[in-house]
Amino acid sequence: MCGTKKGLVGQINKVIENSGGLKPLVLHCILHQQALCGKHLDLSSVLDPVISTVNYIRSHGLKHRQFRDFLEEMNAEFPDLPYYTSIRWLSYGKILARSFELRTEIEIFLNEKNHSQVLLKDSEWLWKLAFSADLTMHLNDFNLRIQGETSLICDLYSKVKAFRKKLILFESQLTRSCFTHFSRCDKYRQEAATPFPNLFAQDVILALKQQFEERFSDLDACSSKLRIFENPFNSVIGDLPSELQMEVIDLQSNDILKDKYKEGNLIEFYKCLPSDQFLHLRRFACEFISVFGTTYLCEKTFSKMKYTKSCYRSQLSDEHLNALLVIGTTHFEPQLDKILSEMKQFHVSPIDQS
């Protein structure tokens, strides 16, 4: 699909080049890129034992019910342990966080089953578990922030830049064993028998920073254009493309358009620009408005289709499925008055006839 020569991207570039058009902006889905950054981290020394423990507890229905009853008797903070599923972006952080919170209950339950986990008594490993849980939950929070239907590419890029700065802050604080933004680490510090593994944390955060730099380099390459699109009023005229300079001067001198911009809706702002006066600026804006920063809409449609066409609706036709998906994934409002006005004959129920 993304091949630069024979793939879809390569074919599109070839057609546009032959027609004399400008090379299009090609971006990978930011949601997928963020998930890949998290998966690249080498947390196997922490994650593998956690997955093995969870699979042991949930492998049999009786054992799983006993564990849930045990948590209820212990008045545990959480009622159960979730499975880890690699294709579910948020499960990475959830299973680590839940395992840390229930570490005492898990240890007691495993000992009763004669299946002890020695790492649950290892202070250094528990430090790594607490750190991994906190870091992956920050990744989950970032993932949720970049989801949504109406996010423009400039909004998504702002959140990417913000998370990069957070990683720098985390790295600086953890070298001083400051756990202001790592609540589980701060909680475990009261009972830890060993110092915080700074070297492990630094290696993980450094690898994550490198991944974010590499995977979002395509956004960095067009950052100057994104800044112009996001706020043309703060643009330096001399730094603008020549075809935009005269129009942006007119724009920055127009107080009415400046007030419209302050309303906070970029799409509506660019819509209201007169096409005869701001032709190039409108075209420039369309280039970024039309960019899908994530495949959120596709993922949402797939999820809707999964629940709509279940095994209990095997007779559902493609035509009806398409209609249901349109209703479920769009914001179209049915024009009932128009539909009724075009009806020539109405079916009356027997109750109304009587």
Side-chain angles (χ1 to χ4, degrees), residues 31-209:
L31 274 172
H32 291 164
Q33 294 290 74
Q34 182 272 335
L36 290 173
C37 288
K39 288 184 177 180
H40 180 81
L41 299 181
D42 184 14
L43 297 177
S44 57
S45 61
V46 178
L47 186 61
D48 290 349
V50 168
I51 293 175
S52 176
T53 300
V54 172
N55 290 345
Y56 170 78
I57 293 175
R58 300 195 57 163
S59 59
H60 297 90
L62 175 60
K63 195 184 302 177
H64 186 204
R65 288 193 297 272
Q66 290 173 342
F67 179 70
R68 288 186 296 179
D69 293 341
F70 174 71
L71 292 179
E72 186 176 354
E73 292 175 4
M74 296 286 290
N75 295 320
E77 185 177 356
F78 299 98
D80 201 0
L81 279 173
Y83 269 126
Y84 169 70
T85 308
S86 60
I87 61 174
R88 294 185 179 273
W89 300 325
L90 305 183
S91 70
Y92 198 3
K94 288 181 178 179
I95 188 175
L96 291 174
R98 191 70 60 86
S99 297
F100 175 80
E101 300 294 345
L102 298 176
R103 63 191 184 282
T104 303
E105 291 82 357
I106 293 173
E107 182 182 7
I108 297 173
F109 183 80
L110 293 179
N111 290 335
E112 290 180 354
K113 294 294 183 180
N114 296 321
H115 189 83
S116 60
Q117 174 58 269
V118 295
L119 290 175
L120 291 172
K121 298 180 180 179
D122 187 337
S123 180
E124 184 177 357
W125 185 83
L126 288 173
W127 265 124
K128 293 179 180 179
L129 175 61
F131 164 75
S132 301
D134 282 328
L135 182 62
T136 51
M137 290 306 290
H138 281 299
L139 284 169
N140 283 5
D141 178 66
F142 173 61
N143 186 285
L144 292 173
R145 287 174 181 270
I146 59 178
Q147 292 185 27
E149 300 179 13
T150 58
S151 296
L152 294 173
I153 188 66
C154 57
D155 300 327
L156 297 172
Y157 184 52
S158 297
K159 293 170 184 176
V160 171
K161 292 190 294 182
F163 191 77
R164 283 173 173 170
K165 292 181 180 179
K166 290 178 183 179
L167 289 177
I168 297 174
L169 175 66
F170 295 159
E171 186 178 30
S172 173
Q173 291 181 336
L174 290 175
T175 55
R176 298 180 280 107
S177 296
C178 175
F179 305 121
T180 304
H181 304 289
F182 286 73
S183 58
R184 293 168 186 84
C185 289
D186 189 50
K187 181 179 180 181
Y188 182 67
R189 176 165 48 181
Q190 308 300 325
E191 56 185 273
T194 58
F196 178 73
N198 279 306
L199 185 60
F200 174 80
Q202 289 175 9
D203 290 342
V204 171
I205 292 183
L206 178 61
L208 190 58
K209 286 168 57 180

Side-chain angles (χ1 to χ4, degrees), residues 206-263:
L206 178 61
L208 190 58
K209 286 168 57 180
Q210 291 175 347
Q211 281 295 302
F212 267 79
E213 291 294 331
E214 293 174 7
R215 295 191 178 277
F216 294 106
S217 58
D218 48 2
L219 281 173
D220 293 332
C222 60
S223 60
S224 58
K225 290 184 176 181
L226 284 172
R227 183 57 185 161
I228 297 171
F229 165 68
E230 187 177 18
N231 190 353
F233 291 96
N234 282 348
S235 300
V236 178
I237 302 300
D239 297 338
L240 295 174
S242 57
E243 67 273 10
L244 296 180
Q245 291 176 343
M246 301 297 286
E247 294 183 2
V248 172
I249 290 175
D250 292 336
L251 180 70
Q252 293 179 351
S253 304
N254 193 315
D255 292 334
I256 296 177
L257 293 178
K258 188 177 295 186
D259 292 338
K260 182 67 177 178
Y261 172 80
K262 290 180 180 179
E263 294 179 5

Side-chain angles (χ1 to χ4, degrees), residues 27 30 69-70 87 96 162 221 277 280 288 311 321 330 341 345:
L27 297 174
I30 294 177
D69 293 341
F70 174 71
I87 61 174
L96 291 174
Q277 187 178 358
H280 295 94
F288 293 100
C311 59
L321 176 62
T330 62
S341 65
Q345 183 178 358

Side-chain angles (χ1 to χ4, degrees), residues 281-331:
L281 187 59
R282 283 171 60 96
R283 288 179 178 175
F284 176 81
C286 286
E287 178 183 350
F288 293 100
I289 292 175
S290 61
V291 171
F292 289 93
T294 69
T295 57
Y296 179 84
L297 288 174
C298 297
E299 302 290 348
K300 176 183 176 181
T301 305
F302 288 143
S303 298
K304 186 70 178 179
M305 183 170 62
K306 174 185 174 182
Y307 290 110
T308 302
K309 192 171 185 178
S310 64
C311 59
Y312 303 107
R313 306 182 72 177
S314 57
Q315 300 300 317
L316 188 66
S317 67
D318 291 341
E319 182 181 357
H320 288 159
L321 176 62
N322 180 67
L324 290 172
L325 288 178
V326 169
I327 294 174
T329 59
T330 62
H331 301 289

